[in-house]
Amino acid sequence: MVTRRSFFKGTGLGLAAATAVPALLATTARAQQAPAAGGDAFLTAIAGYTFNKFKLEPALEMMKKADVRHLCIKDFHLPLNSTEEDVAVFHEKCKSFGVAGYGVGPIYMGNADEARRAFAYARRVGVKVVVGVPFEMRDGKRVGSAVLLEVVNGLVKEYDMKYAIHNHGPDMPELFPTAVSGIELIEKLDKRIGLCLDIGHELRAGIDPVESILKYGDRLHDFHLKNVTAATKAGRTVELPRGIIDIPAVVRALRKVSYTGACSLEYEKDMDAPLAGIAESIGYFRGVADATRG
Amino acid sequence: MVTRRSFFKGTGLGLAAATAVPALLATTARAQQAPAAGGDAFLTAIAGYTFNKFKLEPALEMMKKADVRHLCIKDFHLPLNSTEEDVAVFHEKCKSFGVAGYGVGPIYMGNADEARRAFAYARRVGVKVVVGVPFEMRDGKRVGSAVLLEVVNGLVKEYDMKYAIHNHGPDMPELFPTAVSGIELIEKLDKRIGLCLDIGHELRAGIDPVESILKYGDRLHDFHLKNVTAATKAGRTVELPRGIIDIPAVVRALRKVSYTGACSLEYEKDMDAPLAGIAESIGYFRGVADATRG
């Protein structure tokens, strides 16, 4: 027997990683860290939008299959007007697949009432991160709203929650196309307001997402992991190993800024049958994380 | 536009990688390197046994889905008595899915006739690697055969092919349980005789597979990529990120010995529906390879 411990992967670090991110987890009872996640402070997760063609149960089945235990909840799986009872049923269902919700959104909000409704919903759901798109109408278009962000500034204090603005890339030039377009509106606001950095849309807007991570690290509250085919509007989502974003550089940047949130795969290819692409992407992310650690 | 080329993955290296392994490829027309494979001299492949519950076409469909373009051909997809015509039809079918066969086997061979039949088959198939299990019968058991390896020694010269002995782990203690049990019989034979190192079985036999790669690098002619749950006979195959073998250490060792063969995933879990596990495993391997490259 020449088996050498040093050659095998570190295990038993899951708990340490989970305790490093208490702010994200509603209750420790719901917190389940994937065993293979190793010693990183960030979570491997999936953005609910990935499953927009699926009801909750088949979505959770796919997450279990791909060994992903953290979900950012979209309203098509748990409506904004859900009661405490609806929420309890939802969590019980997630738990039966080994999954826990860590945040909600993206939620579009066009006025103060809608903003408060989102925070009250997050409190009922028991999570501490709201991914949001705060807008106002101008010339019939949704435009990123500094006025509404002032309202959100009060809400993050009142609810003690993080609020993460989602960047949309070049498809919506008025509605947070880039990380910096959000940063410009929140610089003077509470640090609990920050970004859900979508690295695919960031690159499609012509901005290097690695640079955005490094620049805005203290404002990163959520993260959409994906890869794309081109650094232009024509770029489309592909499996994580097959795009042009340098994912090892992304992971190194997340560690450099001590990111402790979730890395949520948002997989927008083959949305009718996404399992294989999800599995390939999650596997790739874990391979990169394991190979670059320590 | 602050997109910086240096942050993006190197592309266009596929051709260089493909030309680095001409010995493995029957014809350059059939050689297609996955674009995301980067600058490694080894190929990402799948061992045909993975698909032992599937006919050729659904197996190729899964390979295409997981973006794997190299296959080690098992006889249940192309029988040993296939004619030149059968072989042509087989290759045409593979090509239509972007897949090329790079080797054949594992093929069990119990006498000189069966050994010669395997080499003649490989020549008809047009590949340069025979993965083999050379045995003789003793007390009703198949036992690794030094005598038959003397025959093989003549055949690798006559056919100018590589012959790779597959290690079986603790389940078959008399039939090449470990890499070293093969090495002991071939040390004085032609260097074209070597190993198809199965890292899962190697660890299940209590041997560190990383050490075996480093020790027997000059004899590595094929490679079964997998992960397992334990360093004992009870260890079973799992998705690549979920086992105890340190895959980053494996990849670094393969580079250290300048391995230029195939890394063939042999996935023996969920064999009735292996696609998600294959995709997760291939993704993980590519993530590790991309993150550890130069």
Side-chain angles (χ1 to χ4, degrees), chain B residues 3-195:
Chain B
T3 302
R4 292 205 321 215
R5 188 71 188 86
S6 63
F7 277 91
F8 304 146
K9 292 203 307 200
T11 52
L13 291 168
L15 190 62
T19 54
V21 286
L24 278 177
L25 301 162
T27 67
T28 49
R30 285 214 295 281
Q32 294 174 275
Q33 179 76 354
D40 279 310
F42 49 77
L43 298 175
T44 303
I46 294 194
Y49 182 69
T50 298
F51 301 117
N52 85 334
K53 299 206 173 171
F54 293 89
K55 291 197 184 300
L56 181 63
E57 190 153 329
L60 293 170
E61 187 74 63
M62 284 188 256
M63 289 186 67
K64 186 177 183 183
K65 190 83 191 155
D67 196 25
V68 181
R69 308 190 183 187
H70 302 280
L71 174 67
C72 191
I73 302 160
K74 268 297 280 184
D75 52 5
F76 51 69
H77 286 149
L78 184 66
L80 292 171
N81 60 3
S82 297
T83 63
E84 298 267 356
E85 203 166 41
D86 298 334
V87 167
V89 169
F90 175 88
H91 284 317
E92 203 47 51
K93 177 62 72 182
C94 288
K95 199 176 167 190
S96 71
F97 287 87
V99 170
Y102 76 86
V104 292
I107 299 172
Y108 286 70
M109 46 196 79
N111 56 51
D113 284 348
E114 288 178 8
R116 176 169 292 280
R117 184 172 70 150
F119 278 83
Y121 167 71
R123 178 182 279 170
R124 283 201 307 285
V125 176
V127 296
K128 288 290 193 183
V129 182
V130 176
V131 182
V133 186
F135 68 87
E136 60 192 54
M137 297 306 291
R138 263 187 249 163
D139 302 329
K141 275 186 181 164
R142 292 174 168 186
V143 178
S145 173
V147 174
L148 191 52
L149 279 166
E150 290 288 349
V151 175
V152 169
N153 200 43
L155 291 167
V156 296
K157 292 170 189 166
E158 182 183 337
Y159 285 82
D160 188 20
M161 283 184 191
K162 287 180 177 173
Y163 184 85
I165 300 171
H166 182 268
N167 57 303
H168 288 97
D171 308 318
M172 300 187 194
E174 301 88 5
L175 198 58
F176 305 107
T178 57
V180 70
S181 65
I183 290 292
E184 281 165 358
L185 301 190
I186 64 174
E187 271 173 327
K188 294 176 185 160
L189 303 183
D190 193 293
K191 289 269 188 187
R192 281 167 286 199
I193 305 182
L195 304 172

Side-chain angles (χ1 to χ4, degrees), chain A residues 134 144-155 163 165 176 181-182 185-186 189 193-194:
Chain A
S145 172
V147 174
L148 191 53
L149 278 166
E150 291 287 348
V151 175
V152 169
N153 200 43
L155 290 166
Y163 184 86
I165 300 171
F176 306 107
S181 66
L185 301 190
I186 65 173
L189 303 183
I193 305 181

